[in-house]
Amino acid sequence: MAERPNWNIEGRDWPNRAASRFVTAAGLRWHVQVMGQGPVLLLLHGTAAATHSWRDLMPLLARDFTVVAPDLPGHGFSDGVPAVRLSLPHMAASVAALLGVLGMRPVLAAGHSAGAAILLRMALDGRIAPDCILSLNGALQPLGDRHAAFFTRTARMLVGLPFVPSLFAWRAADRAVAERLLRDTGSRIEARGVDLYARLFRHSGHLAAALGMMAHWDLVPLLRDLPRLAPRLVLVVGAEDRAVPPVQAEAVRKRLPTARIVTLPGLGHLAHEEQPAQVATLIQQECAGALAA
C-alpha cells in the first residue's frame, strides 16, 4: 500500500483535472486547482478531504470568481510535512505562502470544517484580508471542549505510533467503511464522491496528515482572538451535521456577535457536496458586494 496517492494513478480522472497545477511554496509541492475569472475566492477543504470536495461547487463558482482550491499539506496530492507543521498557525502560514507564489489576494474565502479555522487564523494574523469569510460547518470549537488538552495528547500519542495511519488505511480500504464514515457525518453524497474519498483513505500518508492535524490543533487561541476579526463572518450550518453539532455556531457567535448564522435544513456536514447549487447560490448572495465592486 503506497503511502501517498499517485497523481498518475489516483489522479488520472480527478475532478476538474484540467484546472490542476503543481506549485512549490513553503518548502513543499502543492496540488492546487485554479478556475474561472473575476474576484479571487479561496476555498479550503477540511480534514481528510482534498480538492475533490469542491468537485461540483467549484465550476458553479467559477462563473463569477477566480476560484483557488489547494490540497492542504499532506492531503490529497500535496506533499506531506513534519507533524509540527500541521498545527493551525503553521497551516495558515503555509497557505499564505502558496497564495504569495500564485500572486493571488482573495477578496472572498470559504472553508469547510477545519478549513474554516485556517481561514480565520490567516485573517487574524493579517495573512489575508477578504471582505467575507464563509464557514461551511466550521470546526471552530476545541474537541471535547473542557477535555481538549487530553484529546490532543492522546491524538499525538497515536500519531507517534507508525502503524496507526497504516491500520486506519487498511480498514478504510474497504469502500463500505468509507461510505459508513461519510454517512456518519449526517450527509449522503453520490457514489462517485464516496469512491474519491475511499481512493484517498487507502493511503496512510493522507490519513497521517488528517490525524496529525487533529493532534496539533489548538483552537483556544483562535477563539480568544476571534473578537478582533475584521472580515464579515457567515456561519453556514447543516442542520443534520453529526460531525460538528450545529449548536457550536451559537457558541462562536457569542464570541463574535456580528457573525451571521445561516442554517441549511436537511443537510449534514458535507452540505456543499450534497447540494452544491444551493451552497453556490448562498456564496454568491453573501458576496454580492464584492462582485459589484
Side-chain angles (χ1 to χ4, degrees):
M1 184 181 299
E3 181 184 0
R4 306 277 332 144
N6 186 315
W7 180 246
N8 294 320
I9 300 174
E10 285 82 11
R12 65 191 181 280
D13 58 347
W14 200 248
N16 304 311
R17 182 184 167 104
S20 290
R21 63 180 74 171
F22 287 86
V23 179
T24 299
L28 65 144
R29 185 172 180 258
W30 300 73
H31 170 239
V32 59
Q33 295 188 324
V34 181
M35 182 188 299
Q37 58 184 359
V40 176
L41 167 59
L42 173 62
L43 297 178
L44 293 186
H45 66 76
T47 309
T51 46
H52 74 284
S53 182
W54 313 113
R55 60 192 174 279
D56 296 320
L57 179 61
M58 195 170 180
L60 298 175
L61 294 173
R63 298 171 184 173
D64 298 302
F65 304 101
T66 298
V67 188
V68 183
D71 284 346
L72 291 173
H75 290 70
F77 302 98
S78 289
D79 284 351
V81 294
V84 68
R85 288 188 59 187
L86 294 170
S87 70
L88 184 52
H90 277 98
M91 293 283 266
S94 295
V95 175
L98 172 64
L99 292 174
V101 170
L102 292 172
M104 294 186 174
R105 301 177 64 180
V107 298
L108 308 161
H112 173 242
S113 195
I118 296 172
L119 290 176
L120 292 174
R121 188 70 267 168
M122 291 175 73
L124 288 165
D125 293 346
R127 299 184 186 278
I128 56 172
D131 296 329
C132 177
I133 294 176
L134 286 97
S135 165
L136 305 175
N137 290 312
L140 306 178
Q141 291 289 115
L143 180 65
D145 294 328
R146 288 182 302 167
H147 307 291
F150 168 77
F151 282 108
T152 298
R153 287 195 299 270
T154 303
R156 285 177 180 165
M157 180 186 71
L158 289 173
V159 172
L161 301 174
F163 65 85
V164 170
S166 295
L167 177 62
F168 274 72
W170 175 74
R171 287 286 295 135
D174 182 346
R175 184 186 183 281
V177 172
E179 186 172 18
R180 186 164 62 251
L181 288 171
L182 295 171
R183 191 169 57 245
D184 285 347
T185 69
S187 289
R188 291 185 177 273
I189 62 174
E190 86 288 7
R192 172 161 168 72
V194 174
D195 289 339
L196 290 165
Y197 275 102
R199 191 182 297 184
L200 295 179
F201 288 173
R202 296 186 185 105
H203 297 276
S204 60
H206 176 80
L207 292 180
L211 291 169
M213 281 180 69
M214 290 187 285
H216 293 84
W217 222 235
D218 184 2
L219 291 169
V220 173
L222 177 71
L223 292 172
R224 182 188 62 225
D225 295 342
L226 198 58
R228 61 179 178 82
L229 183 72
R232 287 190 302 115
L233 177 60
V234 180
L235 302 165
V236 182
V237 177
E240 304 303 319
D241 190 347
R242 296 182 200 160
V244 177
V247 69
Q248 289 194 10
E250 291 290 350
V252 173
R253 188 163 63 176
K254 286 182 180 179
R255 293 179 178 270
L256 186 67
T258 57
R260 288 185 56 242
I261 297 177
V262 177
T263 301
L264 303 178
L267 300 181
H269 191 61
L270 303 174
H272 62 292
E273 298 189 46
E274 294 180 276
Q275 292 293 335
Q278 182 178 352
V279 174
T281 298
L282 173 60
I283 292 174
Q284 288 158 349
Q285 289 173 343
E286 292 296 333
C287 302
L291 287 172

